[in-house]
């Protein structure tokens, strides 16, 4: 890409969206999250980024002006299928803060991401209000539910994506097309499952030659890291995986050939689309939760490239804000 585009990211988490947007040609002016482990993950992997550990409610947008993209994966619980009705859980609804910062920052484009549940009829009026607010700021707005499997991620993982662009850029924007090849769990982590000589790997690969259930950050009822509630664990069982917890190591020669192995955090990170050199800060539970809650980098890259193409087709990037200026401003 010939021009550099800039992004401010809210609720950056472990950096799934961050990495994807970087791969799409965006330079991070700021990556913001309130979780210490997530911020340390970002700092470990991208020490040159300006990583801000803060509640988004405390962020002042006037010091972040002049960027091309504001991206936010606001917390999902208020909009999950199993979540409470919106209004009963307002403290976790950060869409109003994302809109506030959009008004203060005035980015050229906005990317908002959430769970598929936000696309349901239950939140129709909320979505309409969000769209009206963005249109009132002068943006063209559209949204889709995209499956991660369409972009090479070995799980279905449907996500709600809303994009807001200048009207001229909206006219040329095209949602990213699905790639032709489909990756499976076996394709993604087969080498990791067999790296310690487990005798059951060949048979396991046959069972795992399909898409994974949607990776989640673990069930809250279960104390440590696991692959989700009962329904998710049953789905994992059909792939030959024990989803009751997360392993430290791949199965070895002593592990029974007909047993179901547990996945390691690195295996789950692969299934989320993270490269092997992306490190995660914190203990096993903290690291796994970061991975499980992440936005798959390949999906973020595909959307980021579509946004970048529309922006670059209709005008030069702003590229105006630097990390050093933000740090000095003590945003």
């Amino acid at each position: 890409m010939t021009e550099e585009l800039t992004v401010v990211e809210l609720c950056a988490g472990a950096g799934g969206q961050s990495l994807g947007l970087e791969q799409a040609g965006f330079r991070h002016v700021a990556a913001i999250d309130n979780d210490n482990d997530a911020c340390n993950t970002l700092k470990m992997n991208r020490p040159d980024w300006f990583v801000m550990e803060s509640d988004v409610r405390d962020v002042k947008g006037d010091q972040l002006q002049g960027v091309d993209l504001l991206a936010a994966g606001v917390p999902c619980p208020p909009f999950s299928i199993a979540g409470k009705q919106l209004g009963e859980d307002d403290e976790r609804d950060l869409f109003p803060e994302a809109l506030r910062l959009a008004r203060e920052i005035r980015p050229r484009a906005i990317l908002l991401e959430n769970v598929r549940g936000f696309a349901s009829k239950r939140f129709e009026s909320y979505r309409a209000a969000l769209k009206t607010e963005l249109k009132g700021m002068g943006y063209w707005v559209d949204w889709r539910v995209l499956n991660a499997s369409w972009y090479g991620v070995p799980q279905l993982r449907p996500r709600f994506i809303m994009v807001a662009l200048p009207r001229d850029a909206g006219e040329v924007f095209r949602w990213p097309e699905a790639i032709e090849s489909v990756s499976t769990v076996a394709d993604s982590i087969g080498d990791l499952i067999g790296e310690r000589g487990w005798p059951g790997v060949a048979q396991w690969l046959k069972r795992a030659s399909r898409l994974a259930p949607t990776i989640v950050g673990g069930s809250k009822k279960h104390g440590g890291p696991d692959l989700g509630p009962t329904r998710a664990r049953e789905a994992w069982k059909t792939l030959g995986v024990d989803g009751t917890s997360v392993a430290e190591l791949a199965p070895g020669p002593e592990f029974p050939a007909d047993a179901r192995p547990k996945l390691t955090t690195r295996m789950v990170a692969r299934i989320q689309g993270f490269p092997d050199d992306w490190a995660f800060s914190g203990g096993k539970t903290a690291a796994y939760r970061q991975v499980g809650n992440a936005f798959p980098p390949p999906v973020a890259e595909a959307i980021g490239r579509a946004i970048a193409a529309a922006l670059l087709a209709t005008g030069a990037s702003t590229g105006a804000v630097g990390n050093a200026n933000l740090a000095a401003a003590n945003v």
Side-chain angles (χ1 to χ4, degrees):
M1 203 163 285
T2 57
E3 292 187 61
E4 182 182 69
L5 296 166
T6 54
V7 58
V8 166
E9 187 176 353
L10 311 176
C11 308
Q17 182 172 254
S18 309
L19 179 57
L21 291 175
E22 179 187 62
Q23 292 168 336
F26 286 89
R27 174 177 64 82
H28 274 71
V29 165
I32 303 165
D33 201 276
N34 67 349
D35 181 77
N36 180 255
D37 286 317
C39 289
N40 286 337
T41 290
L42 295 172
K43 292 173 183 177
M44 281 196 311
N45 291 283
R46 294 294 183 268
D48 57 328
W49 284 5
F50 177 62
V51 177
M52 182 180 176
E53 185 176 338
S54 175
D55 189 312
V56 296
R57 298 176 183 88
D58 299 325
V59 176
K60 302 295 189 296
D62 58 349
Q63 298 292 341
L64 297 165
Q65 294 172 349
V67 297
D68 295 293
L69 176 65
L70 174 66
V74 299
C76 303
F79 308 103
S80 67
I81 295 173
K84 299 178 181 179
Q85 286 287 350
L86 194 63
E88 296 177 15
D89 202 12
D90 290 341
E91 287 188 2
R92 287 187 291 177
D93 175 18
L94 294 182
F95 273 122
E97 291 301 318
L99 290 175
R100 173 185 66 82
L101 287 167
R103 287 190 292 269
E104 294 175 4
I105 296 171
R106 302 298 298 178
R108 292 180 67 205
I110 299 168
L111 168 61
L112 300 174
E113 177 263 337
N114 212 275
V115 289
R116 175 181 56 181
F118 190 55
S120 67
K121 186 174 179 60
R122 177 179 174 183
F123 298 112
E124 186 174 8
S125 60
Y126 194 102
R127 284 195 312 274
L130 185 62
K131 195 170 182 179
T132 298
E133 183 80 15
L134 291 168
K135 284 186 173 181
M137 295 183 208
Y139 293 105
W140 168 95
V141 185
D142 196 17
W143 66 269
R144 295 276 174 90
V145 172
L146 303 179
N147 291 333
S149 59
W150 296 346
Y151 308 103
V153 180
Q155 56 175 314
L156 190 62
R157 200 174 187 84
R159 304 300 289 184
F160 171 91
I161 308 293
M162 181 174 280
V163 172
L165 294 163
R167 290 193 178 94
D168 57 348
E171 292 177 0
V172 301
F173 176 78
R174 297 293 180 269
W175 288 96
E177 295 183 0
I179 62 176
E180 293 184 3
S181 59
V182 176
S183 179
T184 69
V185 174
D187 296 331
S188 178
I189 65 170
D191 61 323
L192 297 180
I193 283 285
E195 67 182 354
R196 296 185 62 238
W198 177 42
V201 66
Q203 189 61 32
W204 183 88
L205 290 171
K206 295 177 183 177
R207 295 186 66 179
S209 293
R210 63 185 81 176
L211 292 175
T214 295
I215 296 288
V216 296
S219 57
K220 292 184 179 178
K221 192 173 182 180
H222 192 279
D226 61 87
L227 300 185
T230 302
R231 187 172 64 175
R233 293 185 204 176
E234 288 299 314
W236 279 107
K237 191 181 294 185
T238 66
L239 278 80
V241 172
D242 179 352
T244 59
S245 64
V246 176
E248 295 284 355
L249 297 171
E254 75 290 347
F255 194 74
D258 58 351
R260 291 188 297 271
K262 296 175 181 178
L263 303 184
T264 64
T265 298
R266 176 51 56 196
M267 293 175 191
V268 179
R270 280 251 195 113
I271 295 171
Q272 284 282 53
F274 281 99
D276 287 349
D277 61 358
W278 194 266
F280 299 93
S281 174
K284 185 169 72 171
T285 298
Y288 175 77
R289 292 272 162 84
Q290 290 175 63
V291 174
N293 290 324
F295 187 29
V299 186
E301 179 182 0
I303 299 165
R305 288 189 181 279
I307 292 172
L311 292 178
L312 293 174
T314 53
S317 66
T318 60
V321 182
N323 296 1
N325 292 339
L326 285 173
N330 190 25
V331 185

